[in-house]
CSV table of all heavy atoms in Angstrom, one decimal:
chain,number,residue,atom,x,y,z
A,1,VAL,N,0.9,-1.2,0.0
A,1,VAL,CA,0.0,0.0,0.0
A,1,VAL,C,0.9,1.2,0.0
A,1,VAL,O,1.8,1.4,0.9
A,1,VAL,CB,-0.9,0.0,1.2
A,1,VAL,CG1,-1.7,1.3,1.3
A,1,VAL,CG2,-1.8,-1.2,1.3
A,2,TYR,N,0.7,2.1,-1.0
A,2,TYR,CA,1.4,3.4,-1.0
A,2,TYR,C,0.5,4.5,-0.8
A,2,TYR,O,-0.5,4.6,-1.5
A,2,TYR,CB,2.2,3.6,-2.4
A,2,TYR,CG,2.8,4.9,-2.5
A,2,TYR,CD1,4.0,5.2,-1.8
A,2,TYR,CD2,2.2,6.0,-3.1
A,2,TYR,CE1,4.6,6.4,-1.9
A,2,TYR,CE2,2.8,7.2,-3.2
A,2,TYR,CZ,4.0,7.5,-2.5
A,2,TYR,OH,4.5,8.7,-2.6
A,3,LEU,N,0.7,5.3,0.2
A,3,LEU,CA,-0.1,6.5,0.5
A,3,LEU,C,0.5,7.7,-0.1
A,3,LEU,O,1.6,8.0,0.1
A,3,LEU,CB,-0.2,6.7,2.1
A,3,LEU,CG,-0.8,5.5,2.8
A,3,LEU,CD1,-0.8,5.8,4.3
A,3,LEU,CD2,-2.2,5.2,2.4
A,4,ASP,N,-0.3,8.4,-0.9
A,4,ASP,CA,0.1,9.6,-1.6
A,4,ASP,C,0.5,10.7,-0.6
A,4,ASP,O,1.3,11.6,-0.9
A,4,ASP,CB,-0.9,10.1,-2.5
A,4,ASP,CG,-1.2,9.2,-3.7
A,4,ASP,OD1,-0.2,8.7,-4.3
A,4,ASP,OD2,-2.3,8.9,-4.0
A,5,TYR,N,-0.1,10.7,0.6
A,5,TYR,CA,0.2,11.6,1.7
A,5,TYR,C,0.2,10.8,3.0
A,5,TYR,O,-0.6,9.8,3.1
A,5,TYR,CB,-0.9,12.7,1.8
A,5,TYR,CG,-0.8,13.7,2.9
A,5,TYR,CD1,0.0,14.8,2.7
A,5,TYR,CD2,-1.4,13.5,4.1
A,5,TYR,CE1,0.2,15.8,3.7
A,5,TYR,CE2,-1.2,14.4,5.1
A,5,TYR,CZ,-0.4,15.5,4.9
A,5,TYR,OH,-0.3,16.5,5.9
A,6,PRO,N,1.1,11.1,3.9
A,6,PRO,CA,1.2,10.3,5.2
A,6,PRO,C,0.0,10.6,6.1
A,6,PRO,O,0.1,11.1,7.2
A,6,PRO,CB,2.5,10.7,5.8
A,6,PRO,CG,2.7,12.1,5.3
A,6,PRO,CD,2.1,12.2,3.9
A,7,SER,N,-1.2,10.1,5.7
A,7,SER,CA,-2.4,10.3,6.5
A,7,SER,C,-2.4,9.4,7.7
A,7,SER,O,-2.2,8.2,7.6
A,7,SER,CB,-3.6,9.9,5.6
A,7,SER,OG,-4.8,9.7,6.3
A,8,VAL,N,-2.7,10.0,8.8
A,8,VAL,CA,-2.7,9.2,10.1
A,8,VAL,C,-3.8,8.2,10.0
A,8,VAL,O,-3.6,7.0,10.3
A,8,VAL,CB,-2.9,10.1,11.3
A,8,VAL,CG1,-3.1,9.3,12.6
A,8,VAL,CG2,-1.7,11.0,11.4
A,9,GLY,N,-5.0,8.6,9.7
A,9,GLY,CA,-6.2,7.7,9.7
A,9,GLY,C,-6.1,6.6,8.7
A,9,GLY,O,-6.4,5.4,9.0
A,10,ALA,N,-5.6,6.9,7.5
A,10,ALA,CA,-5.4,5.9,6.5
A,10,ALA,C,-4.4,4.9,6.9
A,10,ALA,O,-4.6,3.7,6.7
A,10,ALA,CB,-5.0,6.5,5.1
A,11,THR,N,-3.3,5.3,7.5
A,11,THR,CA,-2.2,4.4,7.9
A,11,THR,C,-2.8,3.4,9.0
A,11,THR,O,-2.6,2.2,8.9
A,11,THR,CB,-1.1,5.2,8.6
A,11,THR,OG1,-0.5,6.1,7.6
A,11,THR,CG2,0.0,4.2,9.1
A,12,GLU,N,-3.6,4.0,9.9
A,12,GLU,CA,-4.2,3.2,11.0
A,12,GLU,C,-5.2,2.2,10.4
A,12,GLU,O,-5.3,1.0,10.9
A,12,GLU,CB,-4.7,4.1,12.1
A,12,GLU,CG,-3.7,4.9,12.8
A,12,GLU,CD,-4.2,5.9,13.7
A,12,GLU,OE1,-5.3,6.4,13.5
A,12,GLU,OE2,-3.5,6.2,14.7
A,13,ASN,N,-6.0,2.6,9.5
A,13,ASN,CA,-7.1,1.8,8.9
A,13,ASN,C,-6.4,0.6,8.2
A,13,ASN,O,-6.9,-0.6,8.4
A,13,ASN,CB,-7.9,2.6,8.0
A,13,ASN,CG,-9.4,2.6,8.4
A,13,ASN,OD1,-9.9,1.7,9.0
A,13,ASN,ND2,-10.1,3.7,8.1
A,14,VAL,N,-5.4,0.8,7.4
A,14,VAL,CA,-4.8,-0.3,6.7
A,14,VAL,C,-4.1,-1.2,7.7
A,14,VAL,O,-4.2,-2.5,7.6
A,14,VAL,CB,-3.8,0.2,5.7
A,14,VAL,CG1,-3.0,-0.9,5.1
A,14,VAL,CG2,-4.5,1.1,4.6
A,15,MET,N,-3.4,-0.7,8.8
A,15,MET,CA,-2.8,-1.5,9.8
A,15,MET,C,-3.9,-2.5,10.4
A,15,MET,O,-3.6,-3.7,10.5
A,15,MET,CB,-2.2,-0.7,10.9
A,15,MET,CG,-1.0,0.1,10.5
A,15,MET,SD,-0.5,1.3,11.8
A,15,MET,CE,-0.2,0.2,13.3
A,16,MET,N,-5.0,-2.0,10.7
A,16,MET,CA,-6.0,-2.8,11.4
A,16,MET,C,-6.7,-3.8,10.4
A,16,MET,O,-7.0,-4.9,10.8
A,16,MET,CB,-7.1,-1.9,12.0
A,16,MET,CG,-6.5,-1.1,13.2
A,16,MET,SD,-7.8,-0.1,14.1
A,16,MET,CE,-8.0,1.3,12.9
A,17,ALA,N,-6.9,-3.3,9.2
A,17,ALA,CA,-7.5,-4.2,8.2
A,17,ALA,C,-6.6,-5.4,7.9
A,17,ALA,O,-7.1,-6.5,7.6
A,17,ALA,CB,-7.8,-3.4,6.9
A,18,ALA,N,-5.3,-5.2,7.9
A,18,ALA,CA,-4.4,-6.3,7.6
A,18,ALA,C,-4.0,-7.2,8.7
A,18,ALA,O,-3.4,-8.2,8.5
A,18,ALA,CB,-3.1,-5.6,7.0
A,19,ALA,N,-4.4,-6.9,9.9
A,19,ALA,CA,-4.0,-7.6,11.1
A,19,ALA,C,-4.3,-9.1,11.1
A,19,ALA,O,-3.5,-9.9,11.6
A,19,ALA,CB,-4.6,-7.0,12.4
A,20,LEU,N,-5.4,-9.5,10.5
A,20,LEU,CA,-5.9,-10.9,10.5
A,20,LEU,C,-5.8,-11.5,9.1
A,20,LEU,O,-6.3,-12.6,8.9
A,20,LEU,CB,-7.3,-11.0,11.0
A,20,LEU,CG,-7.5,-10.5,12.4
A,20,LEU,CD1,-9.0,-10.6,12.8
A,20,LEU,CD2,-6.7,-11.4,13.4
A,21,LEU,N,-5.1,-10.8,8.1
A,21,LEU,CA,-4.9,-11.3,6.8
A,21,LEU,C,-3.6,-12.2,6.7
A,21,LEU,O,-2.6,-11.7,7.1
A,21,LEU,CB,-4.8,-10.2,5.8
A,21,LEU,CG,-6.1,-9.4,5.5
A,21,LEU,CD1,-5.7,-8.3,4.5
A,21,LEU,CD2,-7.2,-10.2,5.0
A,22,PRO,N,-3.7,-13.4,6.3
A,22,PRO,CA,-2.5,-14.2,6.2
A,22,PRO,C,-1.5,-13.6,5.2
A,22,PRO,O,-1.9,-13.3,4.1
A,22,PRO,CB,-3.0,-15.6,5.7
A,22,PRO,CG,-4.3,-15.3,5.1
A,22,PRO,CD,-4.9,-14.1,5.8
A,23,GLY,N,-0.2,-13.5,5.6
A,23,GLY,CA,0.8,-12.9,4.7
A,23,GLY,C,1.2,-11.5,5.2
A,23,GLY,O,0.7,-11.0,6.2
A,24,ASP,N,2.0,-10.8,4.4
A,24,ASP,CA,2.6,-9.6,4.8
A,24,ASP,C,2.0,-8.4,4.0
A,24,ASP,O,1.9,-8.5,2.8
A,24,ASP,CB,4.1,-9.6,4.6
A,24,ASP,CG,4.9,-10.4,5.6
A,24,ASP,OD1,4.2,-11.0,6.5
A,24,ASP,OD2,6.1,-10.5,5.5
A,25,THR,N,1.6,-7.4,4.7
A,25,THR,CA,1.1,-6.1,4.1
A,25,THR,C,2.2,-5.1,4.5
A,25,THR,O,2.6,-4.9,5.6
A,25,THR,CB,-0.2,-5.7,4.6
A,25,THR,OG1,-1.2,-6.7,4.2
A,25,THR,CG2,-0.6,-4.3,4.1
A,26,VAL,N,2.6,-4.3,3.5
A,26,VAL,CA,3.6,-3.2,3.7
A,26,VAL,C,3.0,-1.9,3.3
A,26,VAL,O,2.4,-1.7,2.2
A,26,VAL,CB,4.9,-3.5,2.8
A,26,VAL,CG1,5.9,-2.4,3.1
A,26,VAL,CG2,5.5,-4.8,3.2
A,27,ILE,N,3.0,-0.9,4.3
A,27,ILE,CA,2.5,0.4,4.1
A,27,ILE,C,3.7,1.4,3.8
A,27,ILE,O,4.5,1.5,4.7
A,27,ILE,CB,1.7,0.9,5.3
A,27,ILE,CG1,0.6,-0.2,5.6
A,27,ILE,CG2,1.0,2.2,5.0
A,27,ILE,CD1,-0.1,0.1,7.0
A,28,HIS,N,3.7,2.0,2.6
A,28,HIS,CA,4.8,2.9,2.3
A,28,HIS,C,4.3,4.3,2.4
A,28,HIS,O,3.1,4.6,2.2
A,28,HIS,CB,5.2,2.7,0.8
A,28,HIS,CG,5.7,1.3,0.6
A,28,HIS,ND1,7.0,0.9,0.8
A,28,HIS,CD2,5.0,0.2,0.1
A,28,HIS,CE1,7.1,-0.4,0.4
A,28,HIS,NE2,5.9,-0.9,0.0
A,29,ASN,N,5.2,5.2,2.8
A,29,ASN,CA,4.8,6.6,3.1
A,29,ASN,C,3.8,6.7,4.2
A,29,ASN,O,2.9,7.5,4.2
A,29,ASN,CB,4.3,7.4,1.9
A,29,ASN,CG,4.4,8.9,2.1
A,29,ASN,OD1,5.2,9.4,2.8
A,29,ASN,ND2,3.5,9.6,1.4
A,30,ALA,N,4.0,5.9,5.2
A,30,ALA,CA,3.1,5.8,6.4
A,30,ALA,C,3.3,7.1,7.2
A,30,ALA,O,4.4,7.7,7.3
A,30,ALA,CB,3.4,4.6,7.2
A,31,ALA,N,2.2,7.5,7.9
A,31,ALA,CA,2.3,8.6,8.9
A,31,ALA,C,3.2,8.1,10.1
A,31,ALA,O,3.2,6.9,10.4
A,31,ALA,CB,0.9,9.0,9.4
A,32,ARG,N,3.8,9.0,10.8
A,32,ARG,CA,4.8,8.7,11.9
A,32,ARG,C,4.4,9.2,13.2
A,32,ARG,O,5.2,9.2,14.2
A,32,ARG,CB,6.1,9.2,11.5
A,32,ARG,CG,6.7,8.6,10.2
A,32,ARG,CD,8.1,9.1,10.0
A,32,ARG,NE,8.1,10.5,9.4
A,32,ARG,CZ,9.2,11.2,9.4
A,32,ARG,NH1,10.4,10.8,9.8
A,32,ARG,NH2,9.1,12.5,8.9
A,33,GLU,N,3.1,9.6,13.4
A,33,GLU,CA,2.7,10.2,14.7
A,33,GLU,C,2.9,9.2,15.8
A,33,GLU,O,2.8,8.0,15.7
A,33,GLU,CB,1.2,10.6,14.6
A,33,GLU,CG,1.0,12.0,14.1
A,33,GLU,CD,1.4,12.2,12.6
A,33,GLU,OE1,1.7,11.2,11.9
A,33,GLU,OE2,1.4,13.4,12.2
A,34,PRO,N,3.1,9.7,17.1
A,34,PRO,CA,3.2,8.8,18.2
A,34,PRO,C,2.0,7.9,18.5
A,34,PRO,O,2.1,6.8,19.0
A,34,PRO,CB,3.4,9.8,19.4
A,34,PRO,CG,3.9,11.1,18.8
A,34,PRO,CD,3.3,11.1,17.4
A,35,GLU,N,0.8,8.4,18.1
A,35,GLU,CA,-0.4,7.6,18.2
A,35,GLU,C,-0.4,6.3,17.4
A,35,GLU,O,-1.0,5.3,17.7
A,35,GLU,CB,-1.6,8.4,18.0
A,35,GLU,CG,-1.9,9.6,19.0
A,35,GLU,CD,-1.0,10.8,18.7
A,35,GLU,OE1,-0.3,10.9,17.7
A,35,GLU,OE2,-0.9,11.7,19.6
């Protein structure tokens, strides 16, 4: 997954959507907020 802008919400949504999917999901240009 490549994000055109480091969106906090989009980064978090993809993280959670991928949590139970078998295999590796990679998020590029992810947001870096402490949250």
Side-chain angles (χ1 to χ4, degrees):
V1 177
Y2 175 78
L3 300 177
D4 295 314
Y5 179 86
S7 162
V8 174
T11 299
E12 293 171 331
N13 240 330
V14 175
M15 288 170 63
M16 293 183 283
L20 298 174
L21 291 179
D24 288 359
T25 293
V26 181
I27 307 170
H28 303 272
N29 197 29
R32 295 183 286 165
E33 272 68 9
E35 293 79 12

